[in-house]
Each structure stands twice: as C-alpha cells, then as structure tokens.
Amino acid sequence: MGNIRIQKPFVYAPTAADLAGAETLSLVLPDGTRVTTNTPLMPMDDDSEDADDVNDMADTEPITVTLNELPVCTYRTLQHKVSLVISAVGTSYEHSAAHVPAYPVLEIVPPISIASHSRSRTYASSYIAIADFWGVVYALFTAYHTQENIPILLSSSIENHAQLRGYVLRSGLGRIAPSADASKEELFLSRAAFWQGAGTHGFHSRGWLPPDTESTINAYAPFPSVQSFTRTPLVIASHPLRPPKPKQGDVVYRRYCPTVKQTLELTYFDLGEEGSVSKHLQAFHDWHNSDRVNQWWSEAGPMEKHREYVQGLLEDPAVMPLIMSWDGELMGYTEIVWVKENHVAAYIPDGAKDWDRGAHILVGEEKFRGSVRAQAWFRSLHHYSFLADPRTERLIGEPRADNGAMAKVSLDTTMHVQTIFDFPYKRSIMTWLPRERFFKLDVL
C-alpha cells in the first residue's frame, strides 16, 4: 500500500466573499433550536486569510448569542491569552512551556443592548439555563473549532454563575488549570470532552443522542457488562450482552453539519407493516438495484429478498440498520455492528475487543454524493458510535481494497490502514480509528 499517512482533517474555510455576505453565525442544535450571533463570526481554518479579520472583529465588538431569537448571553474577547499547561506542572518547564498553545480569554456576561434595525433593545434577564449554556458552548466550539480548549470567564453578573461553573466542572465539560491559584477564575472548555457528550447526559436533552422515550433506550449510562454468546455459520464468539434495540423509526442521532448547512439524522430502520412497503424499505430496494451500489454490495434482487434481509438484521442484537437523511430527505443506509459478533473479528491482528464497532455504508442518492458530504456523514457515524457506549475505544472498517473512494474518505476522516487481508469473497483493507484520536483532533 506504500506509505500511509493521516491527512489533515477537512475544515470549513469560507472565502472573503462568504464573509462579506454573512450576517450571523448560524447553528442548529439537535432539538431544532437555532443559534445565531450578531456578528459574522464563522467557523474557519486558522490558516485562512480571513481569520485575522474575523478575530479582529471579535476583539472590538461584543458578540451576543441568541437561541431562537432570544438573547442568552454576550461574550467579549479579553486582551490576554492563557495556556492550559498540564504535564509540565511541577517541573522546571511549568512556566516556559511555549509549545502549549495560548488562546484569548472570553468573558461571558448577561445579554447587553444590541442593535435591532435602527433601535437598541435591552434584555434584563441575567439567568442562563444549563441547556441554553450548552448551546452557547456549542456555538463557541463551532466558531473556534480549531482550538483544543476555550478559556472563559463567567461574569459574577450572571445570576447563576456559580451553578454554571459547577456544571462545567462536574460534567467534565471544562476544567481549571492545575496550577491555578484561588484568584484565577478561568475555566478551560475542552473540545474533546464537548464532542464526547460532556454536559449533556444527565443534565438536559439537547445532545446528539435524543432523550429516552417509552420505546427506546438511550445510553445515558453504559449498559451493564454481562456475558453472552453468538454462534452462526460465520461466527463463534463470547461477548457482552448488547442493549435492546430502538423502536423502528426512532431517530438515534441528530447533528447539524455546518459544512453542508443541513442536519444529518440516523434513524433506526422502519420496515413497516406486513404486506406494505415502507418508505425506508422502498429506498433500500431501489438503492440496491442501482448498478453503482450493486457493484459493491452485490445485493440486487426483488423486494421480498430485501425485506427478509432487513428483518434478519432487526432481529440481530449485534447490528443496527440505520437510514441516513439530510433535513429529512433519505440519502443512504448504514449497518453499525458490534465487531466481536461479526466475521471480520477473526482477521483483527490483536483480536476483537468487547466494545469495538464497525460500519457498512452506502450512499443511495446521487445528489448527496461528493467528498464534503462524505466527510460530514462519515464523521457523524463515528461520533454516534463513540457516543452510544463510552467503552468503545476503536472503530474498525473493512472496505474492499479496490474501493479507492471509500479508502480515501476513511483516511480523510483520520482513520488509518492497519493491515490488508482476504475474506473468502474479497480482498479488504482494515481501517482503524482510536477513540482518543477522534476526539483530540479537529474532526467535528
């Protein structure tokens, strides 16, 4: 395969023309809440030519964050930068660790007067609900997405600033510097912790995994580890008991992807009533009977073949058959599997681990193909797989070795090629993505 290297993750870098026409930073939370700001502060690459201009605006103009047009808070950039020094604390390098990036401190205050057309309106509320504050943090990590952490100061003028500080620290969403004295109030919001769901589970229902309903179980706490066993013509394995499946048609993950300005949803396959053809099944059938999809999946055939195929997966506790959609429009299909109960387990060099996961993927609709969308949905699949159980430490793929497009998107999403191997029916590359790499790098 030659030298395999991790390519720089894809980042959104708007042009000067984009900035000229932009009025707000727009973000849609998983529950549909729209987050905006009053200046064109946009997510971008630190190397962008426009980055300095945008940062200059942030230095001179306070930025008000609104949720569904209701101002929640205002933040401003202070004149000093701070670093989160960890491993050097207690060594001679503690005060000279120049390799640790320093970032400007953002002061969070209650919403202040902001311009509305030709008038100015003042909002008196100084209380910030925890769910709303998480939306603010989401906006910050969208705007400052290349930063490993964001130093913030919570103003004492916020009515519940002590509660919000406790929320950040108790949830693991942020931390204080280990060498900070009692007079230092900076909190360092962690990008890696944020994307792992810190501050959502047990605090509010705005996270990427929809809240529990009567019909589905959400992994707010890990499902207990109890031994189970699988024996099939392809697999003999001892493994943990897997949690119950969602209800057919339940949305299990939802995320707004700023690179395409649409919301991706993962929905548990709805097979529909016996004797009828559901929207999901019709799309699945049409996709598999296209020449492009059949080239890689080899599952073309009549409707009843596809119904039986999906029914088998719905009954299999080790597979999650999901339909992918953009803003509600169906676009593709994926099977997220527990690897230990999958036939690829026998080919893993160091053996399958209890919580390893993998995915088989197809994009059915031509209009939704392309590298930018592929980056968005593939990274979202990785995100869901890691969020669904915190014990999942790696994701493992096995695309065909001659599927260059899938190999490329795998590398672009920071997976690496671990080995090459042969199934009885195809030659594959084995791709790996460790949990630590996914959440530490600038991926989402």
Side-chain angles (χ1 to χ4, degrees):
M1 293 291 292
N3 295 324
I4 300 297
R5 64 184 181 86
I6 298 175
Q7 300 183 8
K8 183 178 179 180
F10 176 86
V11 292
Y12 175 54
T15 65
D18 293 329
L19 289 172
E23 295 180 356
T24 61
L25 166 67
S26 184
L27 167 70
V28 181
L29 300 184
D31 67 351
T33 299
R34 192 169 190 85
V35 183
T36 56
T37 61
N38 62 312
T39 65
L41 186 61
M42 302 181 69
M44 64 174 56
D45 188 347
D46 280 341
D47 296 331
S48 167
E49 294 178 358
D50 298 302
D52 291 338
D53 293 338
V54 174
N55 288 333
D56 287 343
M57 286 189 285
D59 287 338
T60 59
E61 182 177 353
I63 297 170
T64 297
V65 181
T66 66
L67 274 64
N68 285 345
E69 301 185 357
L70 178 66
V72 173
C73 73
T74 297
Y75 70 89
R76 65 188 182 97
T77 305
L78 302 182
Q79 295 301 313
H80 66 286
K81 296 182 178 182
V82 293
S83 300
L84 179 59
V85 177
I86 300 175
S87 62
V89 173
T91 75
S92 59
Y93 299 99
E94 181 172 350
H95 301 293
S96 61
H99 61 285
V100 180
Y103 303 116
V105 178
L106 305 182
E107 184 183 24
I108 313 293
V109 301
I112 61 175
S113 298
I114 61 172
S116 175
H117 301 293
S118 59
R119 296 178 297 173
S120 179
R121 296 181 294 176
T122 301
Y123 298 90
S125 176
S126 62
Y127 181 90
I128 304 175
I130 283 178
D132 290 346
F133 184 72
W134 183 80
V136 172
V137 174
Y138 201 156
L140 293 179
F141 275 115
T142 300
Y144 300 93
H145 72 107
T146 59
Q147 294 186 196
E148 296 176 26
N149 55 73
I150 300 175
I152 65 169
L153 280 174
L154 293 171
S155 170
S156 59
S157 61
I158 299 174
E159 181 181 339
N160 60 327
H161 74 278
Q163 179 197 34
L164 294 180
R165 182 179 179 85
Y167 160 68
V168 169
L169 296 176
R170 289 196 314 275
S171 69
L173 186 55
R175 60 183 295 173
I176 59 175
S179 59
D181 58 47
S183 65
K184 297 293 185 181
E185 293 293 326
E186 290 99 346
L187 294 172
F188 291 83
L189 300 175
S190 166
R191 183 179 67 192
F194 170 75
W195 287 114
Q196 288 179 71
T200 57
H201 301 170
F203 293 97
H204 60 83
S205 59
R206 273 189 166 148
W208 302 281
L209 304 184
D212 293 83
T213 68
E214 185 178 349
S215 58
T216 185
I217 293 178
N218 191 354
Y220 275 11
F223 192 72
S225 181
V226 180
Q227 187 183 42
S228 188
F229 192 82
T230 292
R231 184 188 297 273
T232 73
L234 294 176
V235 175
I236 299 176
S238 174
H239 55 82
L241 178 69
R242 304 308 181 186
K245 299 287 201 73
K247 179 183 176 182
Q248 292 185 41
D250 276 356
V251 175
V252 299
Y253 175 89
R254 183 184 292 116
R255 185 174 80 89
Y256 177 77
C257 300
T259 54
V260 297
K261 296 182 174 61
Q262 287 186 298
T263 295
L264 179 76
E265 284 188 347
L266 305 181
T267 305
Y268 192 62
F269 203 107
D270 182 7
L271 196 57
E273 300 294 331
E274 183 69 29
S276 65
V277 176
S278 69
K279 184 179 178 181
H280 286 183
L281 182 58
Q282 184 65 60
F284 183 87
H285 172 72
D286 293 342
W287 294 337
H288 277 290
N289 281 309
S290 71
D291 292 339
R292 175 178 58 81
V293 171
N294 190 54
Q295 176 185 0
W296 305 111
W297 281 69
S298 302
E299 290 290 345
M303 182 68 74
E304 283 311 305
K305 171 186 176 180
H306 293 144
R307 185 189 300 276
E308 292 175 7
Y309 177 92
V310 175
Q311 185 63 52
L313 298 184
L314 294 175
E315 295 170 358
D316 186 342
V319 185
M320 286 275 286
L322 303 172
I323 290 290
M324 301 185 288
S325 61
W326 287 113
D327 284 348
E329 187 175 354
L330 307 191
M331 72 90 168
Y333 168 80
T334 183
E335 296 166 2
I336 296 182
V337 304
W338 292 107
V339 169
K340 205 166 189 186
E341 297 101 287
N342 188 271
H343 59 292
V344 72
Y347 299 89
I348 299 174
D350 61 348
K353 310 301 183 185
D354 280 349
W355 309 101
D356 287 349
R357 298 197 92 162
H360 307 131
I361 308 157
L362 71 86
V363 175
E365 298 297 328
E366 292 289 333
K367 64 184 287 187
F368 291 126
R369 298 180 66 197
S371 61
V372 174
R373 285 192 183 273
Q375 292 279 333
W377 58 250
F378 205 18
R379 293 173 188 223
S380 295
L381 290 180
H382 293 161
H383 192 208
Y384 168 73
S385 298
F386 282 126
L387 287 182
D389 196 301
R391 294 165 294 194
T392 295
E393 289 295 331
R394 62 184 181 182
L395 305 181
I396 296 176
E398 36 93 344
R400 284 174 54 137
D402 57 352
N403 190 343
M406 198 63 209
K408 182 180 186 303
V409 74
S410 298
L411 293 175
D412 286 346
T413 53
T414 72
M415 301 188 88
H416 70 269
V417 175
Q418 180 70 12
T419 189
I420 305 171
F421 68 103
D422 292 313
F423 282 120
Y425 54 91
K426 70 173 182 177
R427 167 159 289 195
S428 291
I429 58 174
M430 183 174 291
T431 54
W432 282 17
L433 177 59
R435 182 185 190 91
E436 189 268 349
R437 178 194 300 160
F438 179 79
F439 286 114
K440 190 167 188 176
L441 295 183
D442 173 28
V443 172
L444 289 166

